[in-house]
Amino acid sequence: MTDHITSVLVANRGEIACRVFATCREMGIGTVAVYSDPDADAPHVRAADAAVHLPGATSAETYLRGDLVIAAAQRAGADAIHPGYGFLSENAEFAQAVIDAGLTWIGPPPAAIVAMGSKVNAKEAMKAAGVPVLSDLDPSAVTAADLPLLIKASAGGGGRGMRIVRTLEELDDAVAAARREAESAFGDPTVFCEPYIERGHHIEVQVMADEHGGVWAVGERECSIQRRHQKVIEEAPAPLVERIGADMRSALYDAARTAASSIGYTGAGTVEFLASGDGRFFFLETNTRLQVEHPVTELTTGVDLVAWQLRVAQGERLDGPEPTAAGHSIEVRLYAEDPAQDWQPQSGTVHRIDIPADVHFGLLHRPGVRVDSGVADGSEISTYYDPMLAKVISWAPTRPRAAAMLARALADAQIHGLVTNRDLLVNILREQQFGSGDTDTAYLDTVGLQGLSAPLADERSVQVAAAAAALAQSAANRRSATVLGGLPSGWRNMASGNQRKTYLSTHAGERTETTVQYRIDRGAVELPDLEGVQAVSWTPTESVLLVDGVARRYRVSVVGEQVFVDWPGAGVAFTRAPRFVDPSTVARPGSLLAPMPGAVIRVAVAEGDRVTAGQPLLWLEAMKMEHTISAPSDGVVAVLAVTEGKQLSVGDVLAVIAAETEESTPEQNEA
């Protein structure tokens, strides 16, 4: 039996590091964090007993440096390493190095990681063990009869390195792009192809195995709602399995146990399957680590999976009967991204994040909401790592109640500073097809992203919120006034016109301007443009308005020129419109601006080239994902402002596309 673990270093960052630390504290185990330069003041660093700096900013310099991580554990006196997920979690060489250093590896044996590390080899092994699989295709031997197909990275997951191919003409470019993305994310450019099931269901079974031959199937999950092959919503139990019945569940569990036993697996892992609507399923891969979505399994079974990882690593047996599930749990991934703008990742400061929760990282003993997050007020979301802000998870006796509770918690959340997918998540949870449980991998395309990504606040609600902001701003101005501060805002000793404040808000790349007219006279407010709206009270942080006879409270927070207004069920972010516009900030017509921070990884055109609308011009990499920048119209590349390798900020000029009739030279078109 392994010696008792006294201190655990988590070779990871953010939410998963905080999650592991939470269980370690409950078990009386010490904790050690590692951190890169951008993460110096991150919540996971503050949550640990001790922390060790890994110099550098990129993953390759820090969290992917196994030698530095092991040295950090030794320096801090940790006797075990937990890999979390991502980074080195499925790296067999790292696992072996941890063991060779005399430390306890909280994960499966290196041989099991090797067996499952290559998706191509894993499928062969599962086929030999009798687990149903989809056939592999060599990219160089694909024919039209094989279409559509899915290109996948052999060494990793999370949607990175994945491409759907529907025509032979796009195959070569898709393979090349997938290889670049796989190399960037996993350090291995190997890709393979398999048949693509258009409307499949992504079903996975959580397994836990000990060193003595015991294997549990700890419930199944459905993770079919995905964007770019990355999961957006996960739930347990799987609606598809619930509909098909006990026979499908039994067959899934048997296949998952067989998969784990056949490779001598120990610890927590996930066996993933692709299922058709009639209940047939095929092996996809085995994730030899804890999954992002493990909380839905914990909340439905009452099992702390991290605690069992630690117990198994110490040589304990799985005791008692296999856990059974009760009720329903749903998890959403709250990302700093703009779904309406092709899922563009966002970076910058999170000024405030407050999500109503009953517990953080723990089990629920009654219907409620759990939040797992490695982000706090003031956290910086950098371009170096995944832009996930939090996982928000509900549990209730029934699926409808779990969805309703989760939607309400998200709708009431205060999230200031970055564009997020919050409104999309709420809309999905309240959407009819989702409510029926009919959610396959084509859900977002079937229901329509435009409707699902619509803001929670309608046009009138935005106008009322702007009024709340204007009144709060007027109260703040009077409070800070150094002369006659007791007089109302805009006071004159004779009749005068209304005061005006203009705010800008953005959705789907479109800017909306909202102007509020108001006049404060003898303690009352006139709002001439807002029929049915009366002001009850207003302070610098809160306005109470009577809207169509109903009193509503609006919380107002100001950060620089940004104004955030929140009320039960929605929120809106404004920017105060400048009184005067600096001409130098106006981009030349035809300018292509960087939609996100990142690096230029490929340029396909040169100055003077003729281009057509939709033609790819260059590619950016942000958060380990590749993004294509295409020509907005036919024309000529008058200015090309970037080269491969250039680091960009949001709004940087990439190129200027001029109409072919324009007399233009690069010198004339400096942006």
Side-chain angles (χ1 to χ4, degrees), residues 7 42 94 112 115 135 143 157 196 201 212 263 325 332 414 417 421 437 441 501 537 541 560 591 596 634:
S7 179
F94 175 63
S135 59
T143 67
Y196 179 63
H201 294 258
H212 312 284
I263 58 172
V332 298
Q414 296 180 60
N421 65 339
T441 53
K501 285 186 172 61
S537 64
T541 59
S591 295
M596 67 198 76
D634 295 351

Side-chain angles (χ1 to χ4, degrees), residues 442-482:
Y443 173 83
L444 293 177
D445 292 330
T446 301
V447 177
L449 186 59
Q450 182 175 359
L452 290 173
S453 61
L456 296 178
D458 60 21
E459 183 177 352
R460 176 168 165 81
S461 296
V462 171
Q463 292 170 344
V464 174
L471 292 175
Q473 187 178 340
S474 72
N477 291 341
R478 299 319 302 155
R479 180 170 292 184
S480 62
T482 56

Side-chain angles (χ1 to χ4, degrees), residues 473 503-504 558-564 574-579:
Q473 187 178 340
Y503 299 95
L504 303 174
V558 178
V559 181
E561 293 304 308
Q562 291 183 292
V563 182
F564 303 97
F574 293 116
T575 301
R576 289 187 282 199
R579 295 182 64 187

Side-chain angles (χ1 to χ4, degrees), residues 13-14 18 35 38-48 63 374-376 379-380:
R13 63 179 299 280
C18 294
Y35 63 94
D39 281 342
D41 194 38
H44 82 272
V45 177
R46 299 195 297 269
Y63 299 109
V375 172
S379 290
E380 288 291 325

Side-chain angles (χ1 to χ4, degrees), residues 356-657:
D358 297 284
V359 299
H360 293 269
F361 302 110
L363 299 176
L364 285 165
H365 302 292
R366 58 184 294 276
V369 173
R370 160 178 165 175
V371 173
D372 288 12
S373 178
V375 172
D377 293 358
S379 290
E380 288 291 325
I381 305 303
S382 78
T383 61
Y384 298 108
Y385 314 117
D386 186 274
M388 187 171 75
L389 302 180
K391 300 180 325 197
V392 189
I393 316 103
S394 65
W395 179 87
T398 66
R399 186 174 183 270
R401 185 174 174 187
M405 294 173 64
L406 185 53
R408 180 60 195 262
L410 288 165
D412 287 352
Q414 296 180 60
I415 309 165
H416 300 167
L418 295 173
V419 176
T420 74
N421 65 339
R422 184 267 298 272
D423 290 8
L424 169 90
L425 298 173
V426 174
N427 287 331
I428 291 174
L429 291 165
R430 292 173 174 171
E431 191 272 326
Q432 183 178 5
Q433 186 172 323
F434 176 84
S436 72
D438 182 17
T439 55
D440 55 37
T441 53
Y443 173 83
L444 293 177
D445 292 330
T446 301
V447 177
L449 186 59
Q450 182 175 359
L452 290 173
S453 61
L456 296 178
D458 60 21
E459 183 177 352
R460 176 168 165 81
S461 296
V462 171
Q463 292 170 344
V464 174
L471 292 175
Q473 187 178 340
S474 72
N477 291 341
R478 299 319 302 155
R479 180 170 292 184
S480 62
T482 56
V483 177
L484 300 176
L487 293 179
S489 176
W491 181 85
R492 299 288 188 275
N493 63 356
M494 65 183 70
S496 61
N498 295 318
Q499 291 186 269
R500 295 165 59 93
K501 285 186 172 61
T502 300
Y503 299 95
L504 303 174
S505 56
T506 303
H507 176 69
E510 297 293 327
R511 275 193 140 189
T512 300
E513 188 175 279
T514 304
T515 297
V516 180
Q517 293 193 77
Y518 67 97
R519 186 167 179 263
I520 303 176
D521 185 19
R522 300 180 186 276
V525 176
E526 296 176 12
L527 296 166
D529 297 333
L530 284 173
E531 185 178 351
V533 179
Q534 298 173 272
V536 177
S537 64
W538 55 98
T539 71
T541 59
E542 182 181 80
S543 294
V544 180
L545 305 179
L546 206 61
V547 183
D548 299 326
V550 179
R552 300 189 185 278
R553 293 182 180 274
Y554 297 83
R555 298 182 297 271
V556 181
S557 175
V558 178
V559 181
E561 293 304 308
Q562 291 183 292
V563 182
F564 303 97
V565 183
D566 297 283
W567 64 98
V572 64
F574 293 116
T575 301
R576 289 187 282 199
R579 295 182 64 187
F580 306 102
V581 178
D582 182 352
S584 67
T585 64
V586 180
R588 171 183 168 81
S591 295
L592 277 174
L593 307 180
M596 67 198 76
V600 179
I601 58 173
R602 184 183 171 200
V603 178
V605 294
E607 287 185 359
D609 285 356
R610 285 179 169 80
V611 297
T612 58
Q615 177 182 335
L617 305 180
L618 52 94
W619 286 261
L620 305 181
E621 183 183 74
M623 279 86 167
K624 297 297 182 183
M625 299 291 284
E626 192 173 294
H627 305 267
T628 304
I629 305 298
S630 301
S633 60
D634 295 351
V636 176
V637 182
V639 174
L640 183 63
V642 298
T643 57
E644 289 186 12
K646 183 173 182 178
Q647 292 288 330
L648 301 169
S649 299
V650 174
D652 285 353
V653 175
L654 305 174
V656 177
I657 308 301

Side-chain angles (χ1 to χ4, degrees), residues 4-53:
H4 181 70
I5 295 171
T6 62
S7 179
V8 172
L9 180 143
V10 177
N12 219 294
R13 63 179 299 280
E15 165 266 326
I16 186 57
C18 294
R19 164 70 189 91
V20 175
F21 293 157
T23 289
C24 287
R25 284 193 297 272
E26 291 182 354
M27 297 178 68
I29 296 173
T31 56
V32 179
V34 288
Y35 63 94
S36 63
D37 293 348
D39 281 342
D41 194 38
H44 82 272
V45 177
R46 299 195 297 269
D49 298 332
V52 180
H53 180 217

Side-chain angles (χ1 to χ4, degrees), residues 134-417:
L134 287 169
S135 59
D136 287 335
L137 301 169
D138 184 338
S140 64
V142 168
T143 67
D146 299 318
L147 300 175
L149 55 81
L150 183 65
I151 302 169
K152 299 177 72 173
S154 181
R160 295 173 175 89
M162 281 192 184
R163 294 290 189 282
I164 299 171
V165 176
R166 302 184 189 281
T167 67
L168 291 179
E169 288 74 21
E170 59 185 309
L171 178 62
D172 290 345
D173 286 346
V175 168
R179 283 175 174 157
R180 287 194 303 269
E181 206 166 87
E183 171 70 28
S184 172
F186 312 115
D188 182 350
T190 305
V191 299
F192 69 98
C193 303
E194 66 184 18
Y196 179 63
I197 298 178
E198 292 279 5
R199 296 179 61 85
H201 294 258
H202 192 117
I203 309 294
E204 56 190 36
V205 179
Q206 176 72 56
V207 295
M208 181 68 70
D210 62 27
E211 298 174 355
H212 312 284
V215 180
W216 280 348
V218 194
E220 89 281 346
R221 304 183 283 257
E222 183 156 352
C223 314
S224 298
I225 299 180
Q226 303 179 7
R227 58 104 168 102
R228 290 180 172 174
H229 308 290
Q230 288 187 300
K231 299 160 188 173
V232 176
I233 294 182
E234 303 102 346
E235 53 184 312
L240 175 68
V241 179
E242 290 283 274
R243 176 169 62 82
I244 298 297
D247 288 347
M248 182 181 182
R249 178 169 285 122
S250 178
L252 277 167
Y253 288 10
D254 286 345
R257 294 189 200 96
T258 297
S261 298
S262 68
I263 58 172
Y265 199 85
T266 62
T270 302
V271 186
E272 300 196 358
F273 300 92
L274 185 64
S276 58
D278 60 4
R280 292 178 299 127
F281 60 87
F282 306 91
F283 173 84
L284 283 177
E285 60 183 315
T286 296
N287 288 291
T288 53
R289 54 173 168 79
L290 200 65
Q291 289 279 84
V292 177
E293 57 271 24
H294 75 273
V296 296
T297 297
E298 293 187 321
L299 295 187
T300 50
T301 63
V303 173
D304 184 328
L305 293 171
V306 174
W308 268 111
Q309 283 186 297
L310 294 164
R311 294 175 65 179
V312 166
Q314 295 177 115
E316 291 189 40
R317 293 179 180 271
L318 297 175
D319 56 5
E322 190 171 70
T324 57
H328 203 94
S329 180
I330 305 174
E331 171 182 300
V332 298
R333 303 188 190 189
L334 181 67
Y335 276 100
E337 65 182 8
D338 189 347
Q341 288 290 94
D342 196 28
W343 308 99
Q344 288 176 5
Q346 309 289 303
S347 65
T349 303
V350 178
H351 301 306
R352 179 169 176 76
I353 181 166
D354 182 11
I355 305 169
D358 297 284
V359 299
H360 293 269
F361 302 110
L363 299 176
L364 285 165
H365 302 292
R366 58 184 294 276
V369 173
R370 160 178 165 175
V371 173
D372 288 12
S373 178
V375 172
D377 293 358
S379 290
E380 288 291 325
I381 305 303
S382 78
T383 61
Y384 298 108
Y385 314 117
D386 186 274
M388 187 171 75
L389 302 180
K391 300 180 325 197
V392 189
I393 316 103
S394 65
W395 179 87
T398 66
R399 186 174 183 270
R401 185 174 174 187
M405 294 173 64
L406 185 53
R408 180 60 195 262
L410 288 165
D412 287 352
Q414 296 180 60
I415 309 165
H416 300 167

